[in-house]
Every structure is written in structure tokens, then in C-alpha cells.
Amino acid sequence: MPVLGTFLSSINAIACHNLLLIPVRYKLIKVTIFSNRKQINCSLSLSLSLSLLPVSRSTISDTPIPSCSRRILNMAEAPKPNSASKNESLTLEKVRQGLISQEDTIVFRLIERAAFPLNSPTYHHKISSSPSLFNFIVKSTEALQSQAGRYEIPEELPFFPENLPPSLLPPPADPPVLHPAAASINLNKKILDIYLKQLLPLFAEPGDDGNYAATASSDLDCLQAISRRIHYGFYVAEVKFRDAPQDYEPAIRAQDREGLMKLLTFTNVEEQVKKRVEKKAVIFGQEVSLDNNTNSVKQNGTVNGKYKVDPSLVSRLYGEWVMPLTKDVQVEYLLRRLD
Ligand SMILES: C=C(O[C@@H]1C=C(C(=O)O)C=C[C@H]1O)C(=O)O
């Protein structure tokens, strides 16, 4: 499919170009290229996001962050354990703030994916040597982002780690916050499987509108946001360990998974998380109307009686998958913390 190849190359060129030109602070770069999905029925569109890329200190200019979306600002404001003063400033409260900020990204990305129907040919039709367009877009995007340094960040992990090209950027200058064990943990195979088999059929209406490339890009956006949130568990575990090594060390030495799971679980916090993400889905998922005759909030809090993504599903996503997997990451990390 030469058209697709040419298009991807040009997107890559633009992305790389911007990566070099955009002055950034807080080690955050985001390059997003969106197409208007209404106008590109059956044609190709690609949404490509690069965020939280490691940039060496010497490349960070003092120019303020250019105007950018709320989502990016949220991430910039969020405490980033892998930022300069991380080792001193790593507190459970700050790490939890980081998780709260990521909720916004996840809810918005689910809303964007739910705007498309299931579009099942995205996942089944072969393209070139790839088993599907989804596979092709995820692998190609990951190859580009790997070269741009995305996977130098511990919580950014690829879905297809095999044969990824190395980063072209200098390695991060700051000393690592995490124990090297983090590098051996990647739950993305499981996350991908759950996403495709269990989540998508819940969030996307049945149907086919032909926007397969945009659908796959939107899937990747969701997957990356969910995966980042889950692997942020590294920092949660590290800070919990540092706060109470006397509690964690015996369970780690005994390789006691259950004991570790009990120690790191806070059911009251989990209840708050579920309520908050449900509320965010209610607030972010409403239609906004400028029509004076139309009360912008009608039955069910929306204009047409329907939220853009079902708030109870978002709460369920967190309760059944996101939080349990974040805890699995914590357990896996802690089990290796004294190695
Ligand atoms: C992330 C934490 O660890 C656990 C997982 C939670 C989550 O994934 O949101 C919340 C509470 C804890 O049971 C935490 O303590 O904040």
C-alpha cells in the first residue's frame, strides 16, 4: 500500500521535525496531528502523540512552553517522578496527584475512541506483511517513538518491544529514581489483550464507518494512556517502600505476593478513584451548546440524554482492570526491589 507508506513517512518527517524544533521545558514534548474524521471517511488519518519524551538537560531551552492543549498542561503541572528534583520530592501525595492528572487524559481518549464504531476490519484485514492495520500502525508508531526516546522513560512501555530501533537521543542525564528491576516489567501484552477483547466491545458501538486508520490511532492513544497509568505503579511502589522499608522488607524477602498486595492496597483510595473518574466522564462527556434556548445540561446531564462515554463503564474500567493492574505492577516491582 504505497499511499499509506508515503503518508506515514511524511507524518514521521513532520513529527521528527517538530521534535527538534519545539522548545520544551519540563521534559515534555507533544506532537499531535489530528484529521477531521468527518471529512476523511475511508481515507487515512493518523493521530500521533509523543509525550513525556526524555530530553537531555542541555537541549532544554528557557523558552516558555508554547500554547498547547489543556491535557498537555495537566501533564506538565503534574509531578513527574522522573523530573530533575524527583529523588527528594518523591512523596505518595505527589505520585497520587500524577495519577489523578492522568485520569483526564484517559477519559478524554476514551471519549475520542467511543466516537467511532467498533470498525472491526481495523483489526482483521491484513496490510502488507502485517496481520492488521491496527498492528501496522502500532508497530510503525512505536518504532518512530522509540527513536525519539519515548521508551527511555520507565513508565512508557511499548506494546511490541521486539526489534524496536534504539533511541537517537542522548540518555537521560538525571540519576534514575527507580530500582533497575522496573526495566524487566512490562504488562502491555496483558493490557493489549484486555483492551481488544474486553474493553473495546464495551466502549465502542457495533458498526463500521470506514475510518480504520483513525480508529487504530485512537486505540493507540487509549492504550498508551492506560499503560502509562498502570506502569506509574513503579513510582507508587518505590515511594511506599521508601516510606516504610521495615514493613515491606520482610514480605519481599519471603517473596510473599499476597502480603505485599495487602500492604500496598488502600481500599478507601480506590473507592475515591472510581467515584472521581465516573464524575470526570460525566463532566467531560457532555455536549456544550451555545443555543440560548437550549439548556446545555438536560436529562441525564446531556443535551441528547447520552454521555459521550458511559461514566459507569469508566468507573468499571478502573475498578476491574486499571487499578488491579497498577497493583500487579507494584507487587512485581517490590518482589525485585531488594535484588
Ligand atoms: C496507586 C495506589 O495503590 C493502590 C492502587 C490504587 C490505584 O491504582 O489507584 C489505589 C490505591 C491502592 O490500593 C495508591 O496507593 O495510590
Side-chain angles (χ1 to χ4, degrees):
M1 207 174 164
V3 179
L4 184 60
T6 314
F7 183 80
L8 284 172
S9 318
S10 60
I11 294 281
N12 289 0
I14 295 164
C16 291
H17 188 61
N18 283 350
L19 274 175
L20 294 174
L21 289 185
I22 293 175
V24 290
R25 284 200 310 197
Y26 308 117
K27 297 187 174 185
L28 178 121
I29 298 174
K30 176 145 182 142
V31 181
T32 304
I33 299 154
F34 286 109
S35 309
N36 180 345
R37 64 182 66 132
K38 295 258 165 18
Q39 292 174 359
I40 52 132
N41 204 15
C42 288
S43 68
L44 182 68
S45 85
L46 184 68
S47 155
L48 192 151
S49 301
L50 296 171
S51 56
L52 293 170
L53 295 179
V55 176
S56 88
R57 290 208 139 270
S58 57
T59 62
I60 299 172
S61 96
D62 280 339
T63 317
I65 295 178
S67 67
C68 47
S69 80
R70 181 78 200 130
R71 256 187 296 166
I72 301 171
L73 287 176
N74 270 339
M75 293 303 286
E77 286 156 7
K80 278 185 267 314
N82 49 348
S83 68
S85 55
K86 56 210 172 189
N87 264 318
E88 310 84 66
S89 69
L90 195 69
T91 65
L92 188 53
E93 201 195 329
K94 284 191 181 169
V95 174
R96 283 183 175 155
Q97 277 303 321
L99 292 175
I100 290 172
S101 168
Q102 291 178 50
E103 291 165 0
D104 298 13
T105 311
I106 292 177
V107 174
F108 277 120
R109 289 186 180 183
L110 290 173
I111 286 173
E112 284 174 6
R113 177 57 185 89
F116 296 107
L118 196 54
N119 281 338
S120 56
T122 310
Y123 314 99
H124 302 129
H125 286 188
K126 250 178 86 79
I127 155 171
S128 181
S129 58
S130 293
S132 68
L133 184 64
F134 171 81
N135 206 282
F136 176 80
I137 285 184
V138 173
K139 279 193 175 166
S140 311
T141 307
E142 288 194 333
L144 163 70
Q145 296 190 342
S146 178
Q147 289 181 294
R150 182 177 196 124
Y151 305 118
E152 303 302 301
I153 301 276
E155 69 271 29
E156 296 282 358
L157 291 156
F159 288 87
F160 296 102
E162 304 79 21
N163 307 320
L164 272 182
S167 168
L168 301 175
L169 297 185
D174 300 320
V177 179
L178 299 173
H179 187 279
S184 64
I185 300 164
N186 182 351
L187 266 55
N188 275 352
K189 291 259 174 294
K190 196 166 180 184
I191 294 170
L192 181 58
D193 193 61
I194 292 174
Y195 179 85
L196 291 174
K197 293 191 182 141
Q198 298 183 59
L199 300 186
L200 258 189
L202 292 174
F203 282 98
E205 301 278 343
D208 184 339
D209 68 2
N211 286 312
Y212 308 139
T215 296
S217 297
S218 182
D219 284 326
L220 180 56
D221 285 344
C222 289
L223 281 163
Q224 287 181 329
I226 291 170
S227 167
R228 184 189 310 128
R229 196 282 182 194
I230 288 170
H231 291 98
Y232 215 70
F234 294 144
Y235 300 105
V236 185
E238 177 62 25
V239 77
K240 284 178 181 171
F241 175 82
R242 286 190 198 182
D243 284 350
Q246 69 287 359
D247 295 341
Y248 283 93
E249 276 182 19
I252 296 172
R253 291 193 202 291
Q255 293 288 289
D256 176 4
R257 283 172 187 274
E258 257 180 53
L260 286 170
M261 187 60 95
K262 262 196 204 133
L263 277 173
L264 61 83
T265 296
F266 293 81
T267 37
N268 58 331
V269 176
E270 293 185 21
E271 285 312 308
Q272 286 171 358
V273 171
K274 279 195 279 179
K275 279 193 195 137
R276 192 175 48 247
V277 293
E278 182 160 356
K279 193 166 176 185
K280 285 183 179 180
V282 166
I283 292 170
F284 302 162
Q286 295 178 30
E287 295 292 344
V288 177
S289 168
L290 294 180
D291 181 354
N292 282 340
N293 299 323
T294 312
N295 189 350
S296 62
V297 177
K298 273 194 178 169
Q299 87 191 103
N300 233 0
T302 68
V303 174
N304 60 6
K306 217 169 162 244
Y307 296 108
K308 291 178 183 170
V309 67
D310 180 351
S312 66
L313 267 184
V314 179
S315 173
R316 201 176 140 198
L317 163 74
Y318 265 76
E320 288 182 26
W321 294 291
V322 174
M323 293 196 293
L325 288 170
T326 306
K327 292 199 288 184
D328 285 348
V329 165
Q330 293 182 62
V331 170
E332 291 305 320
Y333 178 80
L334 287 167
L335 284 171
R336 300 160 169 82
R337 180 60 179 74
L338 298 177
D339 288 357

